[in-house]
Amino acid sequence: MKILMKNYGFGVYNHGISIWDRINNKVTQLNTKTDNKLNSDIIWDIKGNEKYIFATSSVGLNIINRETLEVQNLLNNKYCHTLYLDGDYLWIGTIGGFDIINLNDFSIKSINKLLKENNITISLGGAIFKDSKGIYWLGGANKDGLIEFNPKNNSVNIFKYNETENSISDNTILSIAEDSKGNLWFGTEGNLNKYDRLTKQFKSYSTEDGLSNNSIYSIIPRNDKIWISTNSGINCLEFKNDKIINVKKYLNNIEFSSNSYLKTKNGEYALGSNNGLYILKPNVIENNIISPKIHFNSIYVNGEKVDDLNNKSINYKENFITIDLFTNIYSDMQTVDFYYRINNDDWKLMSNNKLTLSNLADKKYTIDFVAKNFNGKHSERKTISFYVNPPFWRGKMAKFIYFALFLTMILYMVGITILGQILHFSTIMYSMLIYMFHG
């Protein structure tokens, strides 16, 4: 999903563009079958200014008049990929590099000749960004590396992955951003990168540092934090001395998309995914002062829902248990972390709001749960206790039977011994009587 807002325009894969009037909740569709026809139903990127909406496809550029929705085409039959609006100029990542359109007269120029003169080859233009110093950063979408372009002197420099140096971590550039301190951040197919302008070296961050995924589709610097969208949800990263000290994870099961990010006028961030559109409100999340309250939503034993498990006993064969939790922060469930501990052991972080237990030994279990929101506020502890009965051969009745059998065996053995002694004594007495009478 590719995004433009004012109104909200969405490029939906293989369905053209949907323009959403958020105030009136009205959607207008543009595709190859509508009166105002697009050149393709597969849209790669969307940007816009006050007058036009620009949408790329594999067969050219669509230029849509905001008022009339009339569609013009440029760069016909040329694969157009990414877009970047720079005042009166529109940069386009295309096959072979990057084209630039003057929006005053729609004239087209290219920097591809300059790239070729510097032995730089770009098979498909990717992410495009102009930093606070007026330097353009141009990413290759197909393992072509990262280009630094200075328009003041037409100098270009390329960065590529080199395992022997502090290089960029991957040659496919998906996203570029600059934070308030002038640090440059690059999202690639293989890790998040921070660039040091002085040393011209990169610092890479990956799942080993706590990220949900290494494909970084968008980067949002905000209040000394870095928000990123990935193949596995959204992360909010906190740093200290270039080290990640905290990672908050949201929408962990959602796969986000490249070229699908936009900041709205009211400070929201729209992020497109394979599962639809998500509106991120960092201000609401960061200033969340509500302490969560934790509840049991549902409990399943061997796949069967039970009304209550607390202080109950279950059969030893019923040892597959799922406990589903929820909090009072319904709309921001992903801003809450859940923790649990069993029988006063160490607290453990849950991957989501469900806990699954299996192969439980026969004994009593007391499980405590707490929830913690983004600002570290904890819920009150919620506890559930239950007992897993042992199999029959280890139960109380079995132990009684074992004891009774053991006692019976002892009595039997003692009885045999006493009977033997009586018979032996009787034999002696009989012998003595015979001797007395015949002696």
Side-chain angles (χ1 to χ4, degrees):
M1 175 176 286
K2 317 305 171 186
I3 304 172
L4 164 76
M5 294 194 178
K6 192 201 169 181
N7 297 323
Y8 290 59
F10 311 108
V12 183
Y13 186 80
N14 211 31
H15 288 82
I17 298 173
S18 297
I19 302 174
W20 175 33
D21 180 346
R22 193 175 181 183
I23 295 176
N24 299 308
N25 198 27
K26 179 182 178 182
V27 177
T28 302
Q29 191 71 28
L30 290 178
N31 54 46
T32 57
K33 297 178 180 179
T34 54
D35 291 338
N36 295 303
K37 298 182 184 298
L38 300 179
N39 60 16
S40 174
D41 288 332
I42 300 177
I43 301 301
W44 298 120
D45 200 359
I46 303 177
K47 294 291 185 293
N49 58 17
E50 293 296 323
K51 190 174 181 179
Y52 297 106
I53 297 171
F54 308 99
T56 59
S57 76
S58 57
V59 291
L61 175 68
N62 297 278
I63 303 175
I64 305 162
N65 186 294
R66 282 187 179 274
E67 296 296 328
T68 66
L69 297 183
E70 292 181 354
V71 181
Q72 305 175 53
N73 300 118
L74 277 181
L75 301 173
N76 291 330
N77 299 316
K78 187 172 186 177
Y79 193 116
C80 296
H81 185 216
T82 53
L83 294 170
Y84 181 79
L85 266 172
D86 179 26
D88 290 334
Y89 294 91
L90 177 68
W91 285 68
I92 309 173
T94 66
I95 287 288
F98 301 89
D99 292 334
I100 307 166
I101 297 178
N102 185 326
L103 296 179
N104 294 311
D105 57 13
F106 292 100
S107 60
I108 303 171
K109 62 180 181 179
S110 173
I111 67 165
N112 297 340
K113 182 179 178 181
L114 176 64
L115 298 180
K116 187 175 181 180
E117 290 172 353
N118 287 270
N119 297 317
I120 297 174
T121 301
I122 298 293
S123 59
L124 179 63
I128 307 167
F129 182 79
K130 182 182 180 181
D131 69 21
S132 58
K133 299 182 181 299
I135 305 298
Y136 291 87
W137 298 88
L138 312 172
N142 287 333
K143 301 292 183 182
D144 296 317
L146 173 69
I147 299 169
E148 178 187 19
F149 169 54
N150 187 339
K152 295 178 181 178
N153 57 14
N154 271 356
S155 63
V156 292
N157 185 30
I158 188 163
F159 299 91
K160 287 194 172 185
Y161 171 69
N162 186 334
E163 62 182 9
T164 62
E165 301 175 1
N166 293 320
S167 69
I168 195 163
S169 62
D170 189 87
N171 290 329
T172 296
I173 314 301
L174 302 176
S175 53
I176 307 173
E178 183 178 11
D179 64 26
S180 59
K181 297 178 181 178
N183 297 309
L184 289 166
W185 297 84
F186 300 94
T188 73
E189 279 191 341
N191 305 349
L192 174 69
N193 294 261
K194 180 181 180 182
Y195 178 62
D196 188 323
R197 293 178 188 265
L198 295 178
T199 64
K200 295 187 180 299
Q201 294 183 339
F202 294 83
K203 171 70 175 175
S204 176
Y205 303 93
S206 69
T207 53
E208 294 181 358
D209 300 291
L211 274 60
S212 294
N213 189 273
N214 288 333
S215 293
I216 314 301
Y217 291 130
S218 63
I219 306 171
I220 306 170
R222 176 185 164 83
N223 297 339
D224 295 326
K225 299 181 179 69
I226 300 294
W227 292 76
I228 58 173
S229 66
T230 75
N231 252 350
S232 301
I234 296 171
N235 294 171
C236 178
L237 313 176
E238 294 184 55
F239 294 83
K240 184 176 182 180
N241 298 327
D242 280 343
K243 291 185 177 180
I244 294 178
I245 59 173
N246 191 25
V247 180
K248 303 300 295 183
K249 300 180 180 180
Y250 311 96
L251 303 172
N252 295 332
N253 298 321
I254 302 301
E255 179 180 342
F256 285 88
S257 305
S258 61
N259 308 328
S260 300
Y261 147 75
L262 187 72
K263 181 180 179 180
T264 68
K265 289 184 176 180
N266 58 5
E268 299 172 332
Y269 296 87
L271 300 168
S273 77
N274 291 351
N275 195 45
L277 178 72
Y278 289 85
I279 305 297
L280 177 66
K281 302 177 181 179
N283 186 57
V284 173
I285 296 174
E286 292 173 359
N287 294 287
N288 184 2
I289 59 175
I290 301 174
S291 294
K293 293 182 180 179
I294 198 168
H295 305 275
F296 294 121
N297 185 37
S298 59
I299 301 173
Y300 289 85
V301 177
N302 277 18
E304 296 291 330
K305 188 174 182 179
V306 297
D307 293 331
D308 185 21
L309 186 60
N310 197 38
N311 297 321
K312 300 293 178 67
S313 295
I314 61 175
N315 190 285
Y316 78 99
K317 292 183 179 180
E318 299 174 330
N319 61 4
F320 192 86
I321 299 173
T322 300
I323 302 173
D324 188 357
L325 309 172
F326 76 99
T327 74
N328 57 317
I329 311 177
Y330 304 104
S331 61
D332 293 309
M333 177 67 87
Q334 295 292 337
T335 71
V336 176
D337 284 331
F338 295 93
Y339 296 81
Y340 77 98
R341 68 178 182 183
I342 300 177
N343 294 340
N344 291 319
D345 203 349
D346 294 335
W347 287 100
K348 296 180 180 179
L349 174 65
M350 297 167 57
S351 59
N352 50 41
N353 62 317
K354 291 185 179 181
L355 175 66
T356 299
L357 304 170
S358 61
N359 298 320
L360 296 175
D362 51 286
K363 62 179 181 180
K364 182 178 180 180
Y365 290 87
T366 299
I367 306 176
D368 300 315
F369 297 92
V370 294
K372 184 175 73 171
N373 70 6
F374 184 89
N375 284 337
K377 293 183 178 295
H378 288 79
S379 69
E380 293 183 358
R381 189 180 305 168
K382 191 77 172 178
T383 301
I384 187 170
S385 295
F386 57 90
Y387 187 83
V388 177
N389 291 323
F392 174 78
W393 58 88
R394 288 208 303 270
K396 292 181 179 179
M397 180 60 70
K399 291 178 181 178
F400 175 78
I401 294 173
Y402 298 151
F403 176 75
L405 290 173
F406 176 75
L407 183 61
T408 301
M409 291 178 64
I410 293 297
L411 292 175
Y412 175 77
M413 293 177 67
V414 170
I416 291 295
T417 301
I418 293 174
L419 180 60
Q421 291 176 348
I422 292 173
L423 290 174
H424 179 68
F425 179 75
S426 298
T427 302
I428 294 173
M429 292 298 295
Y430 179 76
S431 299
M432 291 178 64
L433 289 172
I434 295 295
Y435 178 78
M436 290 173 63
F437 287 104
H438 297 280

